Amino acid sequence: MAQNALQISDRLASLGEADDSLPFRQAPHNLEAEQALLGAILVNNEAMDRVSSFLDPQHFYDPLHQQIYETAAKLIHAGKHATPITLRTFFENAPPIAPTLTVPQYLGTLAANATTIINAEDYGRTVYDLATRRALIIIGEDMVNNAYEGSIDQPPQKQIEESESRLYDLAEQRKYGSGFVSFANALTTAIDMAGAAYQRAGHLSGISTGLSDLDNRLGGLQSSDLLILAGRPSMGKTALATNIAYNVAKAYKSEQQPDGSLKTVNGGIVGFFSLEMSAEQLATRILSEQAEVGSEKIRRGMINEDEFRKLVEVSRVMSESPLYIDQTGGISIAQLAARARKLKRQKGLDLLIVDYLQLLSGSSKRGDNRVQEITEITTGLKALAKELAVPIIALSQLSRQVEQREDKRPQLSDLRESGSIEQDADVVMFVFREEYYVERTKPSEGTSEFVEWQQKMMGVSGKAEVIIGKQRHGPVGTVELAFEGQFTRFGNLAREYQSAGFDRE
């Protein structure tokens, strides 16, 4: 880290070195603040505690100051005292600062000129803020140089994404490494969450999916959770994901805070990464579900005037929902994270959906090891859920071994390509429709087997199961839902007491 810090510092210093005949601007820095902070630390090591949570050696402009701060930090963290005497041995062979001033003498001067540690944090903040401004200069300089070069492996879109990512990382740096949170603060947060759940419709601590039985089992979609929604082809993974996405977006309500920001009080702003389907295909599915016009009829244009009028009316209402779709295929987990951060910064974000996990790519360093790549992707998604403080639903494929069993219901061992999916996920859910399998065993009409098949079809027709195979915060089990294939719509399953006209207590 020290070597990198020196390289950065040398590069920044070069910004201020130019021919006297040319105008130049020196990189922003404050050597007096750096000297005052280092002197305070050498006089009283408690000053380090006030700045170490946010200040790193590379934040100092002067390379020597970087080395002094890093050495002092290592000594203090090792339980030793950092003074001009104890630091002397590390700098005895360092080149002199001036003909009459060695580094050990300079350490003594820093301590002698130190006044008090009261202002240590203020000095540290000054050093940090100036380092941030210098980092902005480097990012801007790189943007200009890359734009001028225009190399083949750096197309403009990639340059934009990398610059956005670097800017966001710079903006978010101060949010990390905040250290320990007192138990009292954690309790306050927990009580606030419980109070919000008590006031919210359905008494959920998380975001409602719009499917009451699933909400009752999960408590809603919990902030910072990674939820895996898996299933074999044609089970309805994407349909369930789009249903949840639109239910959340449709229920969105917010209220303005005293500082002018908006706080979500119900539903949420949804980001949907559709790596397999186009935005138009996804919109058609949701339109079919809401307008109750078959998606097949919409695609083929086999609709009458009344149905078309209904589609137009429903689309007008749908267009007001805060649901944002990214249809770019084959993006990496780093690109996905950068785009999700941008959406949260510009529009807000309460729920993120990825369809589907296996279509993401990891870093090129992973090579051909797909298991390691999937591990990198799931770890990245979980880290992103925590960073953005939103639930992430990632769809996943299942291995073919499901088809080889008599009971086709999926299990955790069926998750494809990597055990890290099960390990990193807070919730693992499987979509299963027995109707799909029974329908494909249809015997010849007029036989006794056909009568048995009809009876079995009646028992499974229009039903789906969401099997919760893992839940970090609650019980596992199966939730039964209704499924209307022509509208690709999941819904709450009507119970016998409901169809008989009774209310549930």
Side-chain angles (χ1 to χ4, degrees), residues 59-108:
H59 293 139
F60 287 81
Y61 177 79
D62 189 284
L64 177 60
H65 291 168
Q66 292 176 1
Q67 295 177 19
I68 294 172
Y69 181 81
E70 184 174 24
T71 305
K74 287 179 178 178
L75 284 174
I76 294 170
H77 293 158
K80 301 176 182 178
H81 289 289
T83 66
I85 304 300
T86 57
L87 262 67
R88 181 187 185 95
T89 56
F90 297 96
F91 295 96
E92 283 182 342
N93 297 323
I97 299 172
T100 59
L101 183 64
T102 65
V103 174
Q105 290 173 331
Y106 182 61
L107 293 173

Coordinates of all heavy atoms in Angstrom, one line a residue, residues 59-108:
H59 N -3.8 9.2 1.9 CA -4.5 10.5 1.9 C -3.6 11.7 2.1 O -4.0 12.8 1.9 CB -5.6 10.5 3.0 CG -6.7 9.5 2.7 ND1 -7.3 8.7 3.7 CD2 -7.3 9.2 1.5 CE1 -8.2 8.0 3.1 NE2 -8.3 8.3 1.8
F60 N -2.3 11.4 2.6 CA -1.4 12.5 2.8 C -0.7 12.8 1.4 O -0.5 12.0 0.6 CB -0.3 12.1 3.8 CG -0.7 12.0 5.2 CD1 -1.5 10.9 5.7 CD2 -0.5 13.1 6.1 CE1 -1.9 10.9 7.0 CE2 -0.9 13.0 7.4 CZ -1.6 11.9 7.9
Y61 N -0.5 14.1 1.2 CA 0.1 14.6 0.0 C 1.6 14.3 -0.1 O 2.1 13.9 -1.1 CB -0.2 16.1 -0.2 CG 0.4 16.7 -1.4 CD1 -0.2 16.5 -2.6 CD2 1.6 17.4 -1.3 CE1 0.4 17.1 -3.8 CE2 2.2 18.0 -2.5 CZ 1.5 17.8 -3.7 OH 2.1 18.4 -4.8
D62 N 2.3 14.6 1.1 CA 3.7 14.4 1.1 C 4.1 12.9 1.3 O 3.6 12.3 2.2 CB 4.3 15.3 2.2 CG 5.8 15.3 2.2 OD1 6.5 14.3 2.6 OD2 6.4 16.4 1.8
P63 N 5.0 12.4 0.4 CA 5.3 11.0 0.6 C 6.0 10.6 2.0 O 5.7 9.6 2.5 CB 6.4 10.7 -0.5 CG 6.0 11.8 -1.5 CD 5.6 13.0 -0.8
L64 N 6.8 11.5 2.5 CA 7.4 11.3 3.8 C 6.3 11.3 4.9 O 6.3 10.4 5.8 CB 8.4 12.4 4.1 CG 9.1 12.3 5.5 CD1 9.8 10.9 5.6 CD2 10.0 13.5 5.7
H65 N 5.3 12.1 4.8 CA 4.2 12.1 5.7 C 3.4 10.8 5.7 O 2.9 10.3 6.7 CB 3.3 13.3 5.5 CG 3.9 14.6 5.8 ND1 3.4 15.9 5.5 CD2 5.1 15.0 6.5 CE1 4.1 16.8 5.9 NE2 5.2 16.3 6.5
Q66 N 3.3 10.3 4.5 CA 2.6 9.0 4.3 C 3.3 7.9 5.1 O 2.7 7.1 5.8 CB 2.5 8.6 2.8 CG 1.6 9.5 2.0 CD 1.7 9.2 0.5 OE1 2.4 8.2 0.1 NE2 0.9 9.9 -0.3
Q67 N 4.7 7.9 4.9 CA 5.5 6.9 5.6 C 5.4 7.1 7.1 O 5.4 6.1 7.9 CB 6.9 7.0 5.1 CG 7.1 6.6 3.6 CD 8.5 6.8 3.1 OE1 9.5 6.8 3.9 NE2 8.7 6.9 1.8
I68 N 5.5 8.3 7.6 CA 5.5 8.5 9.0 C 4.1 8.1 9.6 O 4.1 7.4 10.6 CB 5.7 10.0 9.3 CG1 7.1 10.5 8.9 CG2 5.4 10.3 10.8 CD1 7.4 12.0 9.0
Y69 N 3.0 8.4 8.9 CA 1.7 8.1 9.4 C 1.5 6.5 9.4 O 1.0 6.0 10.4 CB 0.6 8.7 8.6 CG -0.8 8.4 9.0 CD1 -1.4 9.1 10.0 CD2 -1.5 7.4 8.4 CE1 -2.7 8.8 10.5 CE2 -2.8 7.1 8.8 CZ -3.4 7.8 9.8 OH -4.7 7.6 10.2
E70 N 2.0 5.9 8.4 CA 1.8 4.4 8.3 C 2.6 3.7 9.3 O 2.2 2.8 10.0 CB 2.2 4.0 6.9 CG 2.0 2.5 6.7 CD 2.3 2.1 5.2 OE1 3.1 2.8 4.5 OE2 1.7 1.0 4.8
T71 N 3.9 4.2 9.5 CA 4.7 3.6 10.6 C 4.1 3.8 12.0 O 4.1 2.8 12.8 CB 6.1 4.2 10.5 OG1 6.6 4.0 9.1 CG2 7.1 3.4 11.4
A72 N 3.7 5.0 12.2 CA 3.1 5.3 13.6 C 1.9 4.4 13.8 O 1.7 3.9 14.9 CB 2.8 6.8 13.7
A73 N 1.0 4.3 12.7 CA -0.2 3.5 12.9 C 0.1 2.0 13.2 O -0.5 1.4 14.0 CB -1.0 3.6 11.6
K74 N 1.1 1.5 12.5 CA 1.5 0.1 12.8 C 2.0 -0.1 14.2 O 1.7 -1.1 14.9 CB 2.6 -0.4 11.8 CG 2.1 -0.6 10.4 CD 3.2 -1.0 9.4 CE 2.7 -1.2 8.0 NZ 3.8 -1.6 7.1
L75 N 2.8 0.8 14.7 CA 3.3 0.7 16.1 C 2.1 0.8 17.1 O 2.1 0.0 18.0 CB 4.3 1.9 16.3 CG 5.7 1.7 15.7 CD1 6.5 3.0 16.0 CD2 6.4 0.5 16.4
I76 N 1.3 1.8 16.9 CA 0.1 2.0 17.8 C -0.8 0.8 17.8 O -1.2 0.3 18.9 CB -0.6 3.3 17.5 CG1 0.3 4.5 17.7 CG2 -1.9 3.4 18.3 CD1 -0.3 5.8 17.2
H77 N -1.1 0.2 16.6 CA -2.0 -0.9 16.5 C -1.3 -2.2 17.1 O -2.0 -3.1 17.5 CB -2.4 -1.2 15.1 CG -3.2 -0.1 14.5 ND1 -3.3 0.2 13.1 CD2 -4.0 0.9 15.1 CE1 -4.1 1.2 12.9 NE2 -4.5 1.7 14.1
A78 N 0.0 -2.2 17.2 CA 0.7 -3.3 17.8 C 0.8 -3.1 19.3 O 1.4 -4.0 20.0 CB 2.1 -3.5 17.2
G79 N 0.2 -2.1 19.9 CA 0.3 -1.8 21.3 C 1.5 -1.1 21.8 O 1.8 -1.1 23.0
K80 N 2.3 -0.6 20.9 CA 3.5 0.2 21.3 C 3.3 1.7 21.1 O 2.3 2.1 20.6 CB 4.6 -0.3 20.3 CG 4.9 -1.8 20.4 CD 6.0 -2.2 19.4 CE 6.2 -3.7 19.5 NZ 7.3 -4.1 18.5
H81 N 4.2 2.4 21.7 CA 4.2 3.9 21.6 C 4.8 4.4 20.3 O 5.9 3.9 20.0 CB 4.8 4.5 22.8 CG 4.0 4.3 24.1 ND1 2.8 4.9 24.4 CD2 4.3 3.5 25.2 CE1 2.4 4.5 25.5 NE2 3.3 3.7 26.1
A82 N 4.2 5.3 19.7 CA 4.8 6.0 18.5 C 5.3 7.4 19.0 O 4.5 8.3 19.2 CB 3.8 6.1 17.4
T83 N 6.5 7.5 19.1 CA 7.2 8.8 19.4 C 8.3 9.1 18.5 O 8.8 8.2 17.8 CB 7.7 8.7 20.9 OG1 8.8 7.8 21.0 CG2 6.6 8.3 21.9
P84 N 8.9 10.3 18.5 CA 10.1 10.5 17.7 C 11.2 9.5 18.0 O 12.0 9.2 17.1 CB 10.5 12.0 18.1 CG 9.2 12.6 18.5 CD 8.4 11.5 19.2
I85 N 11.3 9.1 19.2 CA 12.4 8.1 19.6 C 12.1 6.8 19.0 O 13.0 6.2 18.4 CB 12.5 8.0 21.1 CG1 12.7 9.4 21.8 CG2 13.6 7.0 21.5 CD1 14.0 10.1 21.3
T86 N 10.9 6.2 19.1 CA 10.6 4.9 18.6 C 10.5 4.8 17.1 O 10.8 3.8 16.5 CB 9.2 4.4 19.2 OG1 8.2 5.3 18.8 CG2 9.3 4.2 20.7
L87 N 10.2 6.0 16.5 CA 10.1 6.0 15.0 C 11.5 6.2 14.4 O 11.7 6.0 13.2 CB 9.2 7.1 14.5 CG 7.8 6.7 14.2 CD1 7.0 6.2 15.4 CD2 7.0 7.9 13.5
R88 N 12.5 6.7 15.2 CA 13.8 7.1 14.7 C 14.4 5.9 14.0 O 15.1 6.1 12.9 CB 14.7 7.5 15.9 CG 16.0 7.9 15.5 CD 16.9 8.2 16.7 NE 18.2 8.8 16.3 CZ 18.5 10.0 16.3 NH1 17.6 10.9 16.6 NH2 19.7 10.5 15.9
T89 N 14.3 4.7 14.5 CA 15.0 3.5 13.9 C 14.5 3.2 12.5 O 15.2 2.6 11.7 CB 14.8 2.3 14.8 OG1 13.4 2.0 15.0 CG2 15.5 2.5 16.2
F90 N 13.3 3.6 12.2 CA 12.7 3.3 10.9 C 13.1 4.3 9.8 O 12.9 4.0 8.6 CB 11.2 3.3 11.0 CG 10.6 2.2 11.9 CD1 10.3 2.5 13.2 CD2 10.4 0.9 11.5 CE1 9.8 1.5 14.1 CE2 9.9 -0.1 12.3 CZ 9.6 0.2 13.6
F91 N 13.7 5.4 10.3 CA 14.1 6.4 9.3 C 15.5 6.9 9.4 O 15.9 7.9 8.8 CB 13.2 7.7 9.5 CG 11.7 7.4 9.3 CD1 10.8 7.1 10.3 CD2 11.2 7.5 8.0 CE1 9.5 6.8 10.1 CE2 9.9 7.2 7.7 CZ 9.0 6.9 8.8
E92 N 16.4 6.1 10.1 CA 17.8 6.5 10.2 C 18.5 6.5 8.9 O 19.4 7.4 8.7 CB 18.5 5.5 11.2 CG 18.1 5.8 12.6 CD 18.9 4.9 13.6 OE1 19.4 3.9 13.1 OE2 19.0 5.2 14.8
N93 N 18.1 5.6 8.0 CA 18.8 5.6 6.7 C 18.0 6.3 5.6 O 18.4 6.2 4.4 CB 19.0 4.1 6.2 CG 19.9 3.3 7.2 OD1 20.8 3.9 7.7 ND2 19.5 2.1 7.5
A94 N 17.0 7.0 5.9 CA 16.2 7.8 5.0 C 17.0 9.0 4.5 O 17.8 9.6 5.3 CB 14.9 8.3 5.6
P95 N 16.9 9.4 3.2 CA 17.7 10.5 2.7 C 17.2 11.8 3.5 O 16.1 11.9 3.8 CB 17.3 10.6 1.3 CG 16.0 9.8 1.1 CD 16.1 8.8 2.2
P96 N 18.2 12.7 3.7 CA 17.8 13.9 4.5 C 16.8 14.8 3.7 O 16.8 14.8 2.5 CB 19.1 14.6 4.6 CG 20.0 14.1 3.5 CD 19.6 12.7 3.3
I97 N 16.0 15.5 4.5 CA 15.0 16.4 3.9 C 15.7 17.7 3.3 O 15.4 18.2 2.2 CB 14.0 16.9 4.9 CG1 13.3 15.6 5.4 CG2 13.0 17.9 4.3 CD1 12.4 15.9 6.6
A98 N 16.7 18.1 4.0 CA 17.5 19.3 3.6 C 19.0 19.0 4.1 O 19.2 18.1 4.9 CB 17.0 20.6 4.2
P99 N 19.9 19.8 3.6 CA 21.3 19.5 4.0 C 21.5 19.5 5.5 O 22.4 18.9 6.0 CB 22.1 20.7 3.3 CG 21.3 21.0 2.1 CD 19.9 20.8 2.5
T100 N 20.7 20.3 6.2 CA 20.9 20.4 7.6 C 19.7 19.8 8.4 O 19.6 20.0 9.6 CB 21.0 21.9 8.0 OG1 19.8 22.6 7.6 CG2 22.2 22.6 7.4
L101 N 18.9 19.0 7.7 CA 17.7 18.4 8.4 C 17.5 17.0 8.0 O 17.1 16.7 6.9 CB 16.4 19.3 8.1 CG 15.1 18.8 8.8 CD1 15.3 19.0 10.3 CD2 13.9 19.6 8.3
T102 N 17.7 16.1 9.0 CA 17.5 14.7 8.7 C 16.1 14.3 9.1 O 15.4 15.1 9.7 CB 18.4 13.8 9.5 OG1 18.2 14.0 10.9 CG2 19.9 14.1 9.2
V103 N 15.6 13.1 8.7 CA 14.2 12.7 9.0 C 14.0 12.6 10.5 O 13.0 13.1 11.0 CB 13.8 11.4 8.2 CG1 12.4 11.0 8.7 CG2 13.9 11.7 6.7
P104 N 15.0 11.9 11.2 CA 14.8 11.8 12.7 C 14.7 13.2 13.3 O 13.9 13.4 14.3 CB 16.0 11.1 13.2 CG 16.4 10.2 12.0 CD 16.1 11.1 10.8
Q105 N 15.5 14.2 12.9 CA 15.4 15.6 13.4 C 14.0 16.2 13.1 O 13.4 16.9 13.9 CB 16.5 16.4 12.8 CG 17.9 16.1 13.3 CD 18.9 16.9 12.6 OE1 18.8 17.2 11.4 NE2 20.1 17.1 13.3
Y106 N 13.5 15.8 11.8 CA 12.2 16.4 11.4 C 11.1 15.8 12.3 O 10.1 16.6 12.7 CB 11.9 16.0 10.0 CG 10.6 16.5 9.4 CD1 10.4 17.8 9.3 CD2 9.7 15.6 8.9 CE1 9.2 18.3 8.8 CE2 8.5 16.0 8.4 CZ 8.2 17.4 8.3 OH 7.0 17.9 7.8
L107 N 11.2 14.6 12.7 CA 10.2 14.0 13.6 C 10.2 14.7 15.0 O 9.1 15.0 15.5 CB 10.5 12.5 13.9 CG 10.4 11.5 12.7 CD1 10.9 10.1 13.1 CD2 8.9 11.4 12.3
G108 N 11.4 15.1 15.5 CA 11.4 15.9 16.7 C 10.8 17.2 16.5 O 10.1 17.7 17.4

